[in-house]
Amino acid sequence: MSQAAPRKTDIGPPQYEKFLPPIVKKNYGKWLYHEILKPGVMVHVAESGDKLFTVRAGSPRLISIMTIRKFCDFADKYCSGFLRFTSRNNVEFLLTDQTKIDPLIADLKAVGFPVGGLGNSISNIVHTQGWVHCHSSATDASGIVKSVMDDLIEYFTGMKLPGKLRIALACCLNMCGAVHCSDIAILGVHRRPPKVQHDNLKKLCEIPTLISSCPTGAIRTAMVDGKESVEIEEDLCMYCANCYTVCPATALNDPLNDGISIWVGGKVSNARHEPMFSKLAIPYIPNNPPRWPEVVSAVRNLVEIWAKDARKYERMGEWINRIGWPRFFKKAGIEFTKYHIDDFKFAGTTYKKSVHLKY
Amino acid sequence: MLGVLELSYREKIGHWKHGGIVGVFGYGGGVIGRYSDVPEKFPDIAHFHTLRINMPASWFYTTEALRGLCDIWERHGSGLTNMHGSTGDIIFLGTSTPELEPTFAELTNMGFDLGGSGSVLRTPSCCVGPARCEWACYDTLKLTYDITMHYQDELHRPMFPYKFKFKMAGCPNDCVASIARADLSIIGTWRDKIQINHDAVREYAKKGKDIQSDVINNCPSKCMKWDGKTLHIEDSECNHCMHCINVMPKALRPGKDRGACLLIGAKAPIMEGALLSSVLVPFIKMEPPYTELYELVDKIWELWGEEGKNRERVGEYIQRIGLGNFLEMIEVEPIPEMVAHPRENPYIFFEEYFEDDDEEGTDE
Ligand code: HEM
Ligand code: HEM
Ligand code: SF4
Ligand code: SF4
Ligand code: SF4
Ligand code: SF4
């Protein structure tokens, strides 16, 4: 069917130098300092005295080729055809002419792209596939991100927070992304064990792989109606879905019980305090599409109590370390439950072993 | 697409079938197969596969390249993308199996290749680094491109127990979150003195910066002093946290003897719990041809490739056998920089002990 066209493989990505604006090439590795001029706009000054202006705009990450072409139109008009994306999926326009900054911002705003996400702001939400594309999602990604960002937009376009605040979302605990290390993390959770399809399990799955996929050892071999299959010890199952990842016959998605948990206090940078994991704040909020109002108000509440209380530069986790977790729960008005107490391996290391307590 | 999403919103459940193995000839990864579980309702997305395309380092583009990608995707796919996936790839979201080879052919003609998926080396990514950041302690773009090219085979053809990711950050601010999202995290740092421009420090003070409370009091190692005129840093005690540099970028810069710290083992919770990477090599010069780095990586892959269990990340493998044993096998000396603190339990496996007929005071 096919003509013998030469087939190229293993060529890798294009060499990045092809895509660097001339001013970047010229001053590569020779930048002296930078300043944030206003929300979403910064200047980098090179040893040569050259100035590079960056305008950062929010993007929904899931974008069509029409949106990409729109970004290209702006980059052609203002930036000699160069642009880049950031590690939080914002889009950045790189300018050499300061007078073009405001017209660019006006053009971006006219088509609905806010400028911001720099300095002490809430930048874009790192997120995942959700119901748009993944089979194991306990919630949607794009929908919640849109709802939360709509509510917090003043913090994206402003810089009035004590420090940086990173929000991330993952639609199941595979945590594709940065959920385990963010100031506020929104995580999809299941609450019921898989329903095993005994009829075709043997056909679809490799049983030893399935058994070893379970972190708590809840899966056993079993003969059911004369068929080789598995049984799940429901008391041992914490609904992580890893068995479903390796075996299609153990689906556990459940509209009635799937929902959201919220985590706080993670960070990756080394500034001041070492990197930290996010920790559980709210174990469960039901899914409520299309706007997830309960999730939105829970996130806003966390942002606001931190913003009001934290010292300058203090990230969410550093603030909680200072005031202590009991104070955090009190200030946030969040009920503390048995679900907050770790019961996985070495859980004891997370218990309080002193009388350093506040009353 | 919107139809199925609306159905999901009404029913609060996803409508994608499990998995799906598709790809392009010669590669074992790069395409995520996806089938709708309601194909009769939404025939247009009965097949809706994702292609991962290796992005240029630091996500710099010309509009010409982006338009070229858009044209290809308009001809062969849904027109929907993610810019970008969290590992870094350009995500082409949604096409059918017969379109995969033609898309791949057009992509490679344009100079783009697929990224990684499955039990392979995933697409390496990096921060903006020296292209636009004064703090980059090594060339993150160059290293990212070099690693990607050096290990093309490992990236396209599954040969590991599980996935493996590299991320390159130019300094300890870690703007690609490498310490949390890469099996090997390469974080730039320096060994000598922080460069101080004393006039610029005084300028900050004059303009109202409270150097004592904003900078000095926040230094985690308490190694700075400010007498109202001169800033003093006891560099031998500095933790290289970046705080003071972040706060006064015009006055302070990383030192001149620059390189990177290698950390190993980060991963998400499945199975044994989430891990952050931990120190493997406190400091290494990061210059082409990166021989020392590649030799170390090859040793790690050889060991983990041989001994790692199916779907066991390298971080979990290290937990299972113990960091001490791991170091011995890859011939790296244990040093105190590798631990937060020494062990607290006495369950020590000794490999050296006296036998009855030993001379006093010798072992082995
Ligand atoms: C004020 C000094 C800082 C500068 C000049 C700076 C520089 C940058 C640059 C150039 C990027 C874009 C990188 C890329 O997309 O590859 C970036 C993104 C980022 N930085 Fe920093 N960084 C600074 C401080 C920090 C600190 C202190 C943290 C953490 C506490 C941090 C965390 C991040 C994160 C999470 C991103 C992704 C943000 C986004 O794309 O919207 N940075 N930073
Ligand atoms: C079939 C279901 C899945 C889908 C559709 C999916 C989708 C994705 C996508 C699109 C990305 C970004 C990829 C890129 O930029 O190249 C990603 C990253 C990631 N995936 Fe998945 N994934 C799936 C299963 C899993 C599983 C089973 C795990 C863990 C066991 C996992 C863990 C991760 C992690 C940790 C990342 C982020 C890595 C980073 O931050 O760089 N995913 N996933
Ligand atoms: S987080 Fe879970 S549900 Fe979401 S894309 Fe990743 S694997 Fe799929
Ligand atoms: S959902 Fe997780 S805990 Fe439950 S049986 Fe499956 S792998 Fe085990
Ligand atoms: S990690 Fe450091 S070098 Fe890289 S962009 Fe961030 S601040 Fe700059
Ligand atoms: S880099 Fe951090 S540890 Fe070092 S002097 Fe500055 S604030 Fe202190």
Side-chain angles (χ1 to χ4, degrees), chain A residues 266-281:
Chain A
K267 79 193 264 284
V268 293
S269 96
N270 286 273
R272 301 169 308 283
H273 195 285
E274 293 183 353
M276 288 184 268
F277 281 129
S278 326
K279 297 168 180 77
L280 181 63

Side-chain angles (χ1 to χ4, degrees), chain A residues 194 213-216 218-219 232 237-243 252:
Chain A
S213 74
C214 182
T216 55
I219 309 176
I232 292 178
C237 173
M238 42 59 186
Y239 339 110
C240 71
N242 197 38
C243 53
L252 78 174

Side-chain angles (χ1 to χ4, degrees), chain B residues 127-129 133 135-136 169-171 173-175:
Chain B
C127 74
V128 73
C133 183
W135 299 329
C171 82
N173 281 330
D174 199 357
C175 294

Side-chain angles (χ1 to χ4, degrees), chain B residues 89 151 175 226 243 287:
Chain B
D89 296 289
Y151 292 122
C175 294
W226 168 245
H243 175 76
E287 279 146 16

